CSV table of all heavy atoms in Angstrom, one decimal:
chain,number,residue,atom,x,y,z
A,835,ARG,N,-0.6,-37.4,9.1
A,835,ARG,CA,-1.8,-38.3,9.2
A,835,ARG,C,-2.0,-38.7,10.6
A,835,ARG,O,-3.1,-38.7,11.1
A,835,ARG,CB,-1.6,-39.4,8.3
A,835,ARG,CG,-1.7,-39.2,6.7
A,835,ARG,CD,-1.6,-40.4,5.9
A,835,ARG,NE,-2.8,-41.2,6.1
A,835,ARG,CZ,-4.0,-40.9,5.4
A,835,ARG,NH1,-4.0,-40.0,4.5
A,835,ARG,NH2,-5.1,-41.6,5.7
A,836,GLN,N,-0.9,-39.0,11.3
A,836,GLN,CA,-1.0,-39.4,12.7
A,836,GLN,C,-1.5,-38.3,13.5
A,836,GLN,O,-2.5,-38.5,14.4
A,836,GLN,CB,0.4,-39.8,13.2
A,836,GLN,CG,0.3,-40.4,14.6
A,836,GLN,CD,1.7,-40.9,15.1
A,836,GLN,OE1,2.6,-41.0,14.3
A,836,GLN,NE2,1.8,-41.4,16.3
A,837,ALA,N,-1.1,-37.1,13.4
A,837,ALA,CA,-1.5,-36.0,14.3
A,837,ALA,C,-3.0,-35.7,14.0
A,837,ALA,O,-3.7,-35.3,14.9
A,837,ALA,CB,-0.8,-34.7,14.0
A,838,LEU,N,-3.4,-35.8,12.7
A,838,LEU,CA,-4.9,-35.5,12.4
A,838,LEU,C,-5.9,-36.6,12.5
A,838,LEU,O,-7.1,-36.5,12.9
A,838,LEU,CB,-5.0,-34.9,11.0
A,838,LEU,CG,-4.2,-33.6,10.8
A,838,LEU,CD1,-4.2,-33.2,9.3
A,838,LEU,CD2,-4.7,-32.4,11.8
A,839,LEU,N,-5.5,-37.8,12.1
A,839,LEU,CA,-6.4,-38.9,12.2
A,839,LEU,C,-6.3,-39.9,13.2
A,839,LEU,O,-7.3,-40.5,13.5
A,839,LEU,CB,-6.3,-39.6,10.7
A,839,LEU,CG,-6.5,-38.7,9.5
A,839,LEU,CD1,-6.3,-39.5,8.3
A,839,LEU,CD2,-8.0,-38.1,9.5
A,840,ASP,N,-5.2,-40.2,13.7
A,840,ASP,CA,-4.9,-41.2,14.7
A,840,ASP,C,-5.1,-40.7,16.2
A,840,ASP,O,-4.3,-40.8,17.0
A,840,ASP,CB,-3.4,-41.8,14.7
A,840,ASP,CG,-3.2,-42.5,13.3
A,840,ASP,OD1,-4.3,-42.6,12.5
A,840,ASP,OD2,-2.1,-42.9,13.0
A,841,THR,N,-6.3,-40.1,16.4
A,841,THR,CA,-6.7,-39.5,17.6
A,841,THR,C,-8.2,-39.5,17.8
A,841,THR,O,-8.9,-39.4,16.9
A,841,THR,CB,-6.1,-38.1,17.8
A,841,THR,OG1,-6.6,-37.6,19.0
A,841,THR,CG2,-6.8,-37.1,16.7
A,842,LYS,N,-8.7,-39.7,19.0
A,842,LYS,CA,-10.2,-39.8,19.3
A,842,LYS,C,-10.7,-38.5,19.7
A,842,LYS,O,-11.9,-38.3,19.8
A,842,LYS,CB,-10.3,-40.8,20.3
A,842,LYS,CG,-10.0,-42.3,20.0
A,842,LYS,CD,-10.4,-43.3,21.0
A,842,LYS,CE,-10.0,-44.6,20.7
A,842,LYS,NZ,-10.3,-45.6,21.7
A,843,ASP,N,-9.7,-37.6,20.1
A,843,ASP,CA,-10.3,-36.3,20.6
A,843,ASP,C,-10.0,-35.1,19.7
A,843,ASP,O,-10.1,-34.0,20.1
A,843,ASP,CB,-9.8,-36.0,22.0
A,843,ASP,CG,-8.2,-35.9,21.9
A,843,ASP,OD1,-7.6,-36.1,20.9
A,843,ASP,OD2,-7.7,-35.2,22.8
A,844,SER,N,-9.9,-35.3,18.4
A,844,SER,CA,-9.7,-34.3,17.5
A,844,SER,C,-10.8,-33.3,17.4
A,844,SER,O,-12.0,-33.8,17.5
A,844,SER,CB,-9.4,-34.8,16.1
A,844,SER,OG,-9.3,-33.6,15.2
A,845,LEU,N,-10.6,-32.0,17.4
A,845,LEU,CA,-11.6,-31.1,17.2
A,845,LEU,C,-12.3,-31.0,15.9
A,845,LEU,O,-13.4,-30.4,15.7
A,845,LEU,CB,-11.0,-29.6,17.7
A,845,LEU,CG,-12.0,-28.5,18.1
A,845,LEU,CD1,-12.6,-28.9,19.5
A,845,LEU,CD2,-11.2,-27.3,18.3
A,846,PHE,N,-11.6,-31.5,15.0
A,846,PHE,CA,-12.1,-31.3,13.6
A,846,PHE,C,-12.7,-32.5,13.0
A,846,PHE,O,-12.5,-33.6,13.4
A,846,PHE,CB,-10.9,-30.9,12.7
A,846,PHE,CG,-10.0,-29.8,13.3
A,846,PHE,CD1,-8.7,-29.8,13.8
A,846,PHE,CD2,-10.6,-28.5,13.4
A,846,PHE,CE1,-8.1,-28.8,14.2
A,846,PHE,CE2,-9.9,-27.4,13.8
A,846,PHE,CZ,-8.5,-27.6,14.2
A,847,ASP,N,-13.6,-32.2,12.1
A,847,ASP,CA,-14.5,-33.2,11.4
A,847,ASP,C,-13.5,-34.2,10.6
A,847,ASP,O,-12.7,-33.7,9.6
A,847,ASP,CB,-15.4,-32.6,10.4
A,847,ASP,CG,-16.3,-33.5,9.7
A,847,ASP,OD1,-17.2,-34.3,10.3
A,847,ASP,OD2,-16.0,-33.8,8.5
A,848,ARG,N,-13.6,-35.5,10.7
A,848,ARG,CA,-12.6,-36.4,10.2
A,848,ARG,C,-12.8,-36.4,8.7
A,848,ARG,O,-11.8,-36.5,8.0
A,848,ARG,CB,-12.9,-37.9,10.8
A,848,ARG,CG,-12.0,-38.9,10.2
A,848,ARG,CD,-12.1,-40.2,10.8
A,848,ARG,NE,-11.1,-41.2,10.3
A,848,ARG,CZ,-10.0,-41.4,10.9
A,848,ARG,NH1,-9.6,-40.6,12.0
A,848,ARG,NH2,-9.2,-42.2,10.4
A,849,ARG,N,-14.0,-36.3,8.2
A,849,ARG,CA,-14.3,-36.5,6.8
A,849,ARG,C,-13.6,-35.2,6.0
A,849,ARG,O,-13.0,-35.5,5.0
A,849,ARG,CB,-15.8,-36.6,6.6
A,849,ARG,CG,-16.1,-36.6,5.0
A,849,ARG,CD,-17.6,-36.7,4.9
A,849,ARG,NE,-18.0,-36.8,3.4
A,849,ARG,CZ,-19.3,-36.7,3.0
A,849,ARG,NH1,-20.3,-36.7,3.8
A,849,ARG,NH2,-19.4,-36.7,1.7
A,850,CYS,N,-13.8,-34.0,6.6
A,850,CYS,CA,-13.2,-32.9,6.1
A,850,CYS,C,-11.6,-33.1,6.2
A,850,CYS,O,-11.0,-32.7,5.1
A,850,CYS,CB,-13.6,-31.7,6.9
A,850,CYS,SG,-13.2,-30.1,6.0
A,851,LEU,N,-11.1,-33.7,7.2
A,851,LEU,CA,-9.7,-33.8,7.2
A,851,LEU,C,-9.2,-34.7,6.1
A,851,LEU,O,-8.1,-34.5,5.4
A,851,LEU,CB,-9.3,-34.4,8.6
A,851,LEU,CG,-9.5,-33.4,9.8
A,851,LEU,CD1,-9.2,-34.1,11.1
A,851,LEU,CD2,-8.6,-32.2,9.6
A,852,GLU,N,-9.9,-35.8,5.9
A,852,GLU,CA,-9.5,-36.8,4.9
A,852,GLU,C,-9.6,-36.2,3.5
A,852,GLU,O,-8.8,-36.4,2.6
A,852,GLU,CB,-10.4,-37.9,4.9
A,852,GLU,CG,-10.1,-38.8,6.2
A,852,GLU,CD,-11.0,-40.0,6.4
A,852,GLU,OE1,-12.2,-40.1,5.8
A,852,GLU,OE2,-10.7,-41.0,7.2
A,853,GLU,N,-10.6,-35.3,3.3
A,853,GLU,CA,-10.7,-34.6,2.0
A,853,GLU,C,-9.5,-33.7,1.7
A,853,GLU,O,-9.0,-33.5,0.6
A,853,GLU,CB,-12.0,-33.8,1.9
A,853,GLU,CG,-13.3,-34.7,1.8
A,853,GLU,CD,-14.5,-33.8,1.8
A,853,GLU,OE1,-14.4,-32.5,1.8
A,853,GLU,OE2,-15.6,-34.4,1.8
A,854,LEU,N,-9.1,-33.0,2.8
A,854,LEU,CA,-7.9,-32.1,2.6
A,854,LEU,C,-6.7,-32.8,2.3
A,854,LEU,O,-5.8,-32.5,1.4
A,854,LEU,CB,-7.7,-31.4,4.0
A,854,LEU,CG,-8.7,-30.2,4.1
A,854,LEU,CD1,-8.6,-29.7,5.7
A,854,LEU,CD2,-8.6,-29.0,3.2
A,855,LEU,N,-6.4,-34.1,3.0
A,855,LEU,CA,-5.3,-34.8,2.8
A,855,LEU,C,-5.4,-35.5,1.4
A,855,LEU,O,-4.3,-35.5,0.6
A,855,LEU,CB,-5.2,-36.1,3.8
A,855,LEU,CG,-4.7,-35.6,5.1
A,855,LEU,CD1,-5.2,-36.7,6.2
A,855,LEU,CD2,-3.3,-35.4,5.2
A,856,ASP,N,-6.6,-35.9,1.0
A,856,ASP,CA,-6.7,-36.4,-0.4
A,856,ASP,C,-6.5,-35.3,-1.5
A,856,ASP,O,-5.9,-35.6,-2.5
A,856,ASP,CB,-8.2,-37.1,-0.6
A,856,ASP,CG,-8.3,-37.7,-2.0
A,856,ASP,OD1,-7.7,-38.6,-2.2
A,856,ASP,OD2,-9.2,-37.1,-2.7
A,857,GLY,N,-7.0,-34.3,-1.2
A,857,GLY,CA,-6.7,-33.1,-2.2
A,857,GLY,C,-5.2,-32.8,-2.3
A,857,GLY,O,-4.8,-32.5,-3.4
A,858,GLN,N,-4.4,-32.8,-1.2
A,858,GLN,CA,-3.1,-32.5,-1.3
A,858,GLN,C,-2.4,-33.7,-2.1
A,858,GLN,O,-1.5,-33.4,-3.0
A,858,GLN,CB,-2.5,-32.5,0.1
A,858,GLN,CG,-1.1,-32.4,0.2
A,858,GLN,CD,-0.7,-30.9,-0.3
A,858,GLN,OE1,-1.4,-30.0,-0.2
A,858,GLN,NE2,0.6,-30.9,-1.0
A,859,ALA,N,-2.8,-34.9,-2.0
A,859,ALA,CA,-2.3,-35.9,-2.7
A,859,ALA,C,-2.6,-35.9,-4.3
A,859,ALA,O,-1.8,-36.3,-5.1
A,859,ALA,CB,-2.9,-37.4,-2.2
A,860,ARG,N,-3.7,-35.1,-4.6
A,860,ARG,CA,-4.2,-35.0,-5.9
A,860,ARG,C,-3.5,-33.7,-6.6
A,860,ARG,O,-3.8,-33.4,-7.7
A,860,ARG,CB,-5.7,-34.9,-6.1
A,860,ARG,CG,-6.5,-36.1,-5.7
A,860,ARG,CD,-7.8,-35.7,-5.6
A,860,ARG,NE,-8.6,-36.9,-5.3
A,860,ARG,CZ,-9.3,-37.8,-6.3
A,860,ARG,NH1,-9.1,-37.2,-7.5
A,860,ARG,NH2,-9.9,-38.7,-5.9
A,861,GLY,N,-2.5,-33.0,-5.8
A,861,GLY,CA,-1.8,-31.9,-6.4
A,861,GLY,C,-2.5,-30.6,-6.0
A,861,GLY,O,-2.0,-29.5,-6.5
Side-chain angles (χ1 to χ4, degrees):
R835 293 189 65 87
Q836 182 176 354
L838 296 177
L839 301 180
D840 294 353
T841 177
K842 296 180 180 178
D843 66 340
S844 176
L845 198 64
F846 306 117
D847 178 73
R848 184 180 182 89
R849 181 177 176 182
C850 194
L851 293 174
E852 289 175 341
E853 287 179 6
L854 290 168
L855 285 163
D856 181 64
Q858 181 65 28
R860 293 169 178 266

